[in-house]
């Protein structure tokens, strides 16, 4: 078997790379698995990031991630662009298998696998991501000043996004497949009371229209009658949920009802000693690059302190 690493990190988003920077600077020679197909995490799917501190002019998502990776490598972090496909985290030495079948051993593991936004699954959705289609009002709302916007979804997140977006938008139309919202009463009431927000119930997005490289409007479909109509919105926020990437850990790490990794309060410790969780895989509340990076730093410090107890 291979050497026993002090730290193996799974995930190459802001949480994983930040954990790599911290553990590398602590001389722990981290080994990071960053996925075979999606190196750099969620920010590689966006263009301008304007809210990450230190970049007053904004920074391209992929460039930000390349810089984080370079910073970790500068201090000796080793990166493998491959997936971890199986784990046995139960013993004092954790076993992680990559897609080639190689088993890696580690005293500590930092899980930073992120979460994926649910998609509508319609044509042009990916193509128009960052070009009028977004999954995050906090991230992108500012770009939509004076525009007509659609928010898809009926839960708390959708109501929160719709209400937040009225700060920038001329109008916000909430499109929901059902005849009633799922959101809590207080969130619903806030949205209903807002003059800028209107609702299209029993309705789904049938088609995205393109204007050059940008979203030019949508076609809505009544789910009961099948009747369609066009809406000239140039912003579409999809708020139908997200799925934490935790399948790999089921049966070993404690997960909450929505599948997020559970960690002990004010720490990144999971239920298994030596295993830590950071970033969006733990966090269904904030889901920002900076909060993910912050918890990556916390996980690195927790791992470092745990390793110190072993000697
Ligand atoms: P992620 O960035 O999701 O990275 C996790 C990585 O782990 C992925 O690369 C994944 O493939 C990998 N992984 C998963 N499983 C495995 C495995 N088994 N083996 C190996 N690798 C694995 N936030 C902001 O603050 N500002 C913004 O402007 C902003 N814009 C956004 C725009 C878009 C389109 C999206 C989708 C998100 C945006 N966000 C923004 C949110 C931000 O990207 C996330 O909050 C942040 O990336 C979460 O970081 P993370 O490290 O937890 O996970």
């Amino acid at each position: 078997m291979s050497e026993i690493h002090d730290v193996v990190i799974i995930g190459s988003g802001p949480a994983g790379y930040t954990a790599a920077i911290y553990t590398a600077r602590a001389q722990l020679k981290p080994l990071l698995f960053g996925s075979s197909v999606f190196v750099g995490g969620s920010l590689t799917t966006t263009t301008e990031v304007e809210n990450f501190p230190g970049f007053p002019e904004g920074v391209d998502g992929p460039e930000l991630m390349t810089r984080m990776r370079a910073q970790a490598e500068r201090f000796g972090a080793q990166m493998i662009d491959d997936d971890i496909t199986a784990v046995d985290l139960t013993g004092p030495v954790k076993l992680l298998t990559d897609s080639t079948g190689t088993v890696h051993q580690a005293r500590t593991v930092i899980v930073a696998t992120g979460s994926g936004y649910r998609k509508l699954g319609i044509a042009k959705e990916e193509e128009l991501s960052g070009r009028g289609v977004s999954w995050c009002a906090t991230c992108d709302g500012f770009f939509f000043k004076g525009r007509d916007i659609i928010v898809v979804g009926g839960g708390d997140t959708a109501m929160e996004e719709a209400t937040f977006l009225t700060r920038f938008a001329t109008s916000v139309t909430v499109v929901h497949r059902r005849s009633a919202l799922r959101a809590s009463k207080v969130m619903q009431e806030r949205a209903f009371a807002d003059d800028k927000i209107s609702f299209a119930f029993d309705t789904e997005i049938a088609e995205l229209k393109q204007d050059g490289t940008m979203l030019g409007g949508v076609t809505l479909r009544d789910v009961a009658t099948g009747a369609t109509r066009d809406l000239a919105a140039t912003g579409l926020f999809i708020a139908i949920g997200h799925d934490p990437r935790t399948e790999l850990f089921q049966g070993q790490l404690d997960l909450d009802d929505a599948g997020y990794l559970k960690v002990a309060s004010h720490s990144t410790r999971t239920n298994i000693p030596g295993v830590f969780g950071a970033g969006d895989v733990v966090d269904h509340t904030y889901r920002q690059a900076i909060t993910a990076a912050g918890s990556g730093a916390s996980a690195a410090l927790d791992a470092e302190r745990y390793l110190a107890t072993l000697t």
Side-chain angles (χ1 to χ4, degrees):
M1 256 231 230
S2 56
E3 66 175 295
I4 303 178
H5 298 277
D6 275 331
V7 183
V8 170
I9 299 162
I10 315 174
S12 56
Y17 281 161
T18 305
I21 293 167
Y22 272 69
T23 49
R25 291 192 74 248
Q27 308 292 311
L28 295 173
K29 299 195 181 79
L31 173 62
L32 182 148
F33 286 88
S35 159
S36 54
V37 288
F38 190 33
V39 177
S42 302
L43 279 188
T44 59
T45 65
T46 192
T47 46
E48 191 90 32
V49 178
E50 287 195 331
N51 56 7
F52 200 86
F55 296 91
E57 311 301 331
V59 58
D60 238 34
E63 190 196 333
L64 178 60
M65 299 319 298
T66 304
R67 282 170 172 254
M68 284 192 200
R69 181 182 174 117
Q71 193 172 350
E73 285 176 329
R74 178 182 157 213
F75 298 110
Q78 191 192 340
M79 308 283 173
I80 297 183
D81 296 339
D82 194 8
D83 302 308
I84 291 298
T85 55
V87 294
D88 179 355
L89 302 172
T90 46
V93 174
K94 324 299 177 195
L95 306 177
L96 302 100
T97 308
D98 68 23
S99 74
T100 68
T102 305
V103 178
H104 305 268
Q105 303 188 89
R107 291 185 185 87
T108 67
V109 173
I110 296 175
V111 177
T113 48
S115 72
Y117 289 98
R118 286 193 197 137
K119 309 253 161 79
L120 296 174
I122 57 174
K124 297 192 185 149
E125 187 177 6
E126 300 283 348
E127 213 173 312
L128 293 171
S129 168
R131 301 175 186 282
V133 175
S134 171
W135 282 264
C136 175
T138 310
C139 311
D140 297 336
F142 194 77
F143 299 121
F144 288 80
K145 277 187 185 157
R147 306 244 222 125
D148 294 308
I149 295 179
I150 292 172
V151 172
V152 185
D156 275 347
T157 305
M159 291 314 104
E160 197 178 315
E161 306 251 296
T163 308
F164 176 75
L165 286 166
T166 59
R167 294 182 195 186
F168 315 101
T170 306
S171 75
V172 176
T173 306
V174 174
V175 172
H176 186 39
R177 270 196 307 190
R178 305 189 196 288
S179 51
L181 299 172
R182 263 184 306 107
S184 61
K185 202 149 179 46
V186 58
M187 299 293 286
Q188 291 194 28
E189 278 167 4
R190 198 172 300 155
F192 285 138
D194 197 314
D195 288 344
K196 280 192 181 175
I197 303 179
S198 58
F199 292 83
F201 288 109
D202 298 309
T203 301
E204 62 187 7
I205 308 285
E207 198 188 325
L208 302 180
K209 294 172 183 296
Q210 210 166 327
D211 181 7
T213 58
M214 304 297 286
L215 177 74
V218 305
T219 302
L220 301 178
R221 184 193 297 120
D222 185 307
V223 292
T225 64
T228 59
R229 68 182 166 103
D230 288 345
L231 194 62
T234 54
L236 175 71
F237 285 77
I238 302 167
I240 54 174
H242 16 81
D243 297 307
R245 300 187 189 98
T246 48
E247 309 82 60
L248 202 54
F249 312 106
Q250 269 168 19
Q252 296 185 54
L253 297 179
D254 288 348
L255 308 178
D256 70 12
D257 291 343
Y260 285 84
L261 208 60
K262 279 192 184 173
V263 291
S265 179
H266 297 303
S267 86
T268 62
R269 290 194 308 274
T270 67
N271 56 304
I272 296 184
V275 182
F276 306 90
D280 284 10
V281 72
V282 175
D283 173 14
H284 38 79
T285 311
Y286 303 110
R287 298 195 309 272
Q288 294 295 294
I290 188 64
T291 50
S295 73
S298 304
L301 295 172
D302 285 344
E304 199 182 325
R305 284 171 194 154
Y306 170 84
L307 286 165
T309 67
L310 302 181
T311 49

